[in-house]
Amino acid sequence: MQRIRQEGDPILILYGYWRSGCTWRVRMALELKGLPYEYRPINLLKGEDCTPEYKAINPAGLVPTLLDGKHTLSESLAILEYLEEKYPGPVSLLPRRFEDRAEVRRLALHIVSGIQPLQNLNMLEKIEALGGTQARGQWGKTVVADGFAALETMLKQTAGKYSFGDEVTLADLCLVPQVYSAGRFGVSMEPYPIINAIHSRLAELEVLKPAHPDAMPDAVKQ
Ligand SMILES: N[C@@H](CCC(=O)N[C@@H](CS)C(=O)NCC(=O)O)C(=O)O
């Protein structure tokens, strides 16, 4: 959200793409922590992530990248952890007990490293090159469904109102875009009632609404 910067506010610049789930995770953290930021769109469909100018700030050629003063940060989960440590209030994204924090990180990592990379644009383009459009769609659907089956089982042990207990944690910030992505692949949410219920509660939170892809200046109307 493009709030007007107040004297003393940190200067945060977020490079991202409206539909990038990894960028969305960071946008939600910034909203929850009430941190104003400047959003700089990088059009993935036009290859703007692969230009020498962008690769100079993020050699992986992926979004998001967050600039915080002289610090350049990438990898969304590392960014979430950084924001949590540097700006611990007013809302904390991790529980107090270290054992609980490990549980939250486990859930987040399951999505961040176990589901999303398998259905990233880059990966989908490679699958399409090998097997065509149908294979691309089927691949995306299968990897998300398999990942959600495991996540649903994990959440039976940890979920309250949200993924871990009754407070929003960084696991939830990973879950929201993954459910959106599931919708794009046509994955039915019926086999995953816990994921679905958590997602519905998170979707109702006013504080997260400005971070939604449709609210972004680079959003393309469907
Ligand atoms: N592990 C990275 C993944 C970043 C990533 O995959 N970003 C996607 C958008 S969500 C991207 O930039 N894709 C561009 C491409 O595949 O060419 C993170 O969590 O930040």
Side-chain angles (χ1 to χ4, degrees):
M1 182 188 177
Q2 307 299 297
R3 284 198 212 94
I4 295 166
R5 228 188 127 250
Q6 309 285 313
E7 186 70 26
D9 276 344
I11 305 168
L12 293 164
I13 297 170
L14 179 65
Y15 289 88
Y17 178 62
W18 68 290
R19 258 188 168 167
S20 150
C22 307
T23 312
W24 188 0
R25 295 169 190 154
V26 176
R27 292 197 302 255
M28 286 188 280
L30 292 167
E31 294 297 338
L32 282 165
K33 291 194 173 282
L35 294 166
Y37 65 100
E38 183 188 322
Y39 177 69
R40 295 195 183 162
I42 296 293
N43 191 327
L44 301 184
L45 300 184
K46 289 188 180 158
E48 288 176 3
D49 51 325
C50 297
T51 61
E53 293 77 20
Y54 184 69
K55 280 198 160 180
I57 60 164
N58 188 335
L62 298 169
V63 291
T65 303
L66 183 74
L67 307 188
D68 183 6
K70 58 181 174 12
H71 302 290
T72 302
L73 302 134
S74 58
E75 283 298 333
S76 60
L77 199 55
I79 297 174
L80 298 183
E81 295 266 5
Y82 170 92
L83 291 174
E84 177 63 11
E85 294 205 41
K86 182 158 181 192
Y87 307 103
V91 170
S92 179
L93 301 175
L94 285 167
R96 278 176 58 83
R97 295 177 65 240
F98 77 88
E99 296 93 334
D100 294 344
R101 290 202 292 274
E103 283 293 328
V104 169
R105 290 181 176 119
R106 170 191 182 230
L107 296 169
L109 273 166
H110 174 69
I111 298 169
V112 167
S113 65
I115 307 178
Q116 186 274 335
L118 298 175
Q119 48 97 96
N120 183 27
L121 181 60
N122 223 321
M123 174 67 89
L124 293 176
E125 284 170 355
K126 289 185 174 85
I127 300 288
E128 185 168 345
L130 287 171
T133 322
Q134 219 184 338
R136 172 186 175 136
Q138 195 50 48
W139 172 269
K141 202 170 175 176
T142 303
V143 296
V144 175
D146 288 353
F148 273 6
L151 181 63
E152 182 77 10
T153 305
M154 293 178 202
L155 290 171
K156 279 184 189 149
Q157 308 297 321
T158 63
K161 249 170 98 178
Y162 303 113
S163 299
F164 187 87
D166 294 332
E167 305 296 334
V168 175
T169 63
L170 46 85
D172 296 305
L173 307 190
C174 299
L175 180 141
V176 167
Q178 198 56 64
V179 173
Y180 177 87
S181 192
R184 293 183 65 201
F185 288 117
V187 175
S188 161
M189 291 305 290
E190 218 180 299
Y192 321 112
I194 305 175
I195 300 176
N196 209 19
I198 293 168
H199 178 258
S200 302
R201 287 183 204 109
L202 290 161
E204 280 167 16
L205 296 179
E206 287 302 323
V207 65
L208 297 183
K209 289 187 179 166
H212 192 279
D214 293 342
M216 292 299 106
D218 55 334
V220 176
K221 297 266 174 295
Q222 301 303 305

